[in-house]
Amino acid sequence: MSATAAGKLDINVSETQLLADLERLGRIGLGADGGITRRALSNEDAEARSYVAERMRAAGLDVRHDEVGNLRARRPARDGATWNTRSNVVMTGSHLDSVPSGGKLDGPLGVVGAVCAVEALNAAGVQTERPIELVVFVGEEGSRFKRGTIGSAALSGHVAVADVLALVDPDGVIYRNAMATYGDSGAAIPARVERGSVHAFVELHVEQGGVLESSGTDIGAVTTIAGLVQHMVTFHGDANHAGATPMHLRRDALLAAAQWALGIERAAREVGGGAVGTVGKLTVEPGGKNIIPGRVDAICDLRAPTPELLTALAGFVISSLHGIGEQRGVEIEQQLLQRVEPGPMHELAIAAVERAAAAAGLSSLRMPSGAIHDALHVAEVAPASMIFVPSIGGKSHCPTEATQPRDLVRGVDVLARTLAILANE
Ligand code: GLV
Ligand code: MN
Ligand code: MN
């Protein structure tokens, strides 16, 4: 098949299968509020992963796992080669872990969507010159260990495998031991891929914002992914009686944290250019309604589309701590949890997404991603881009995250065509 013949492909994505897969995964880790909680390497994550592994096998894929627990599955090239191939591979994939009480699509769409895309290629009799690899990356969301995008950072070599295996969660559980929940048997393949061994990578994902919906566009072709800085900050004040302690004799840790959080809002607006800042996690101790807060642990999440803007925002956020500590008589400690540089996607992959959308008769828009994705790390070693589909109301990282079924199917259709283009050019 030539690249231009991609338009003539007879791709028929099974909407029934796609929705059934998403519905099945959407029951694993489902909470009373309708949100999904699947922490990396938890029983829920393992259950979702084994469902996907079965689906991969049913689609005719050769399923393996790597040293950090990424699930890796290959569809053979025309010559029958899967793993022992001399041609480089085309990759796609996403994650199955979630934020606390998140949505059903962030991650799973790019995973079961990839399986459904392969099934559509199989049904259309499409053969490719290069093998196609599906990856389920471990721990993208960073909800359990100190950092996120764990599986893709190991795959690109951004983080050493030994450092991943030594990560420790807040309960003291070591990553290496937590991997036992996956119950993998047999030898693991290397996590790391060499630069040049992956022809291209493309990740299907919900947009998580409102650009496609508000502009009436079917598909987003992602051009850049914003970077991220997260710090853990601890404010040490003085726990004391809420009635008996006059205002001027207090060292209230929560007021110091609140002042800091308001400063982050101001700084993000001042830095501008798409910079955003959030304090989404606060732990207040001792946490009694009649006790002045003695200690607060807070995590800030700062994002920006360029390294310069990210550095400017992070610089302000950390330098503001000194003055707040002095003013409120509160001791402050801070620790950098992670910094992920913003990164451009690659023209080879962006253009393939656009061509695939056009071949499917859909409109597309080049756009940046404000959210982090595994594609950012894969882009360190291979040309990468992403396929976005519209998010209803631009909602994500919450139980109301949703996309019209028609748009989910369109995303998988474009993924199948993109894979065919990239695996045959
Ligand atoms: C991942 O979804 C992130 O952007 O935090
Ligand atoms: Mn997410
Ligand atoms: Mn995601």
Side-chain angles (χ1 to χ4, degrees):
M1 188 199 76
S2 72
T4 45
K8 302 198 182 70
L9 290 182
D10 191 17
I11 296 295
N12 286 300
V13 174
S14 168
E15 176 169 338
T16 311
Q17 182 67 59
L18 177 64
L19 297 184
D21 287 340
L22 289 169
E23 199 270 329
R24 173 74 186 80
L25 291 178
R27 277 187 269 134
I28 306 173
L30 180 63
D33 65 353
I36 305 294
T37 302
R38 280 196 301 260
R39 298 198 320 151
L41 305 173
S42 63
N43 292 333
E44 293 77 17
D45 184 28
E47 185 182 341
R49 184 176 180 268
S50 71
Y51 173 78
V52 167
E54 267 320 300
R55 287 280 295 116
M56 288 170 156
R57 285 188 198 100
L61 300 171
D62 183 324
V63 183
R64 310 225 173 158
H65 62 276
D66 71 22
E67 298 157 296
V68 298
N70 294 320
L71 198 62
R72 314 267 297 261
R74 284 200 178 183
R75 178 181 194 259
R78 189 190 302 280
D79 64 4
T82 49
W83 299 95
N84 293 321
T85 169
R86 269 182 297 154
S87 67
N88 42 21
V89 66
V90 172
M91 273 188 179
T92 183
S94 197
H95 59 100
L96 291 171
D97 68 317
S98 77
V99 292
S101 204
K104 296 186 172 73
L105 300 173
D106 177 1
L109 175 61
V111 172
V112 292
V115 180
C116 290
V118 163
E119 288 175 329
L121 293 176
N122 292 348
V126 176
Q127 292 189 322
T128 55
E129 297 307 316
R130 308 174 199 283
I132 295 172
E133 182 171 328
L134 275 55
V135 188
V136 179
F137 294 105
V138 187
E140 192 270 351
E141 296 286 10
S143 310
R144 176 169 183 180
F145 297 95
K146 183 175 147 188
R147 58 161 300 128
T149 53
I150 294 172
S152 52
L155 184 126
S156 73
H158 186 92
V159 174
V161 167
D163 291 342
V164 168
L165 298 179
L167 286 167
V168 182
D169 81 359
D171 300 323
V173 181
I174 301 168
Y175 189 103
R176 181 193 301 279
N177 298 335
M179 274 173 69
T181 43
Y182 282 170
D184 288 331
S185 56
I189 63 172
R192 183 160 182 189
V193 299
E194 293 309 320
R195 184 182 289 277
S197 67
V198 177
H199 176 68
F201 173 85
V202 62
E203 178 174 357
L204 171 63
H205 209 280
V206 285
E207 181 200 334
Q208 310 182 276
V211 172
L212 293 174
E213 185 183 65
S214 62
S215 64
T217 312
D218 302 319
I219 296 291
V222 175
T223 51
T224 54
I225 297 181
L228 158 78
V229 169
Q230 289 173 336
H231 284 273
M232 158 86 95
V233 179
T234 303
F235 299 85
H236 299 275
D238 208 3
N240 209 339
H241 198 290
T245 316
M247 295 310 284
H248 71 284
L249 291 181
R250 296 173 178 222
R251 295 197 305 126
D252 185 326
L254 180 58
L255 292 182
Q259 186 172 338
W260 180 62
L262 287 169
I264 292 176
E265 181 191 35
R266 222 174 23 253
R269 288 182 198 277
E270 272 165 26
V271 168
V276 289
T278 307
V279 178
K281 188 161 170 134
L282 280 184
T283 315
V284 181
E285 290 176 18
K289 62 178 187 272
N290 54 357
I291 311 172
I292 297 162
R295 172 182 171 139
V296 169
D297 291 298
I299 298 181
C300 71
D301 176 296
L302 314 170
R303 316 268 179 134
T306 68
E308 295 74 23
L309 291 175
L310 194 56
T311 299
L313 180 57
F316 173 83
V317 166
I318 293 309
S319 63
S320 71
L321 288 171
H322 183 70
I324 294 170
E326 297 262 291
Q327 187 187 337
R328 294 194 169 270
V330 164
E331 281 95 55
I332 303 176
E333 293 169 273
Q334 67 87 15
Q335 183 199 1
L336 175 68
L337 294 180
Q338 61 173 334
R339 175 172 174 130
V340 180
E341 294 304 325
M345 299 288 95
H346 194 288
E347 183 58 30
L348 174 95
I350 301 168
V353 172
E354 285 181 321
R355 274 159 53 202
L362 301 172
S363 58
S364 68
L365 178 71
R366 288 187 175 220
M367 62 184 296
S369 170
I372 293 278
H373 297 285
D374 290 308
L376 183 57
H377 283 305
V378 185
E380 293 165 10
V381 287
S385 182
M386 298 186 66
I387 300 166
F388 274 177
V389 293
S391 293
I392 297 173
K395 300 275 288 180
S396 188
H397 280 190
C398 56
T400 51
E401 173 187 273
T403 290
Q404 297 290 355
R406 178 198 62 193
D407 292 327
L408 297 171
V409 171
R410 286 175 168 173
V412 177
D413 184 321
V414 173
L415 175 61
R417 291 173 195 273
T418 306
L419 293 173
I421 291 170
L422 291 168
N424 271 321
E425 68 188 2

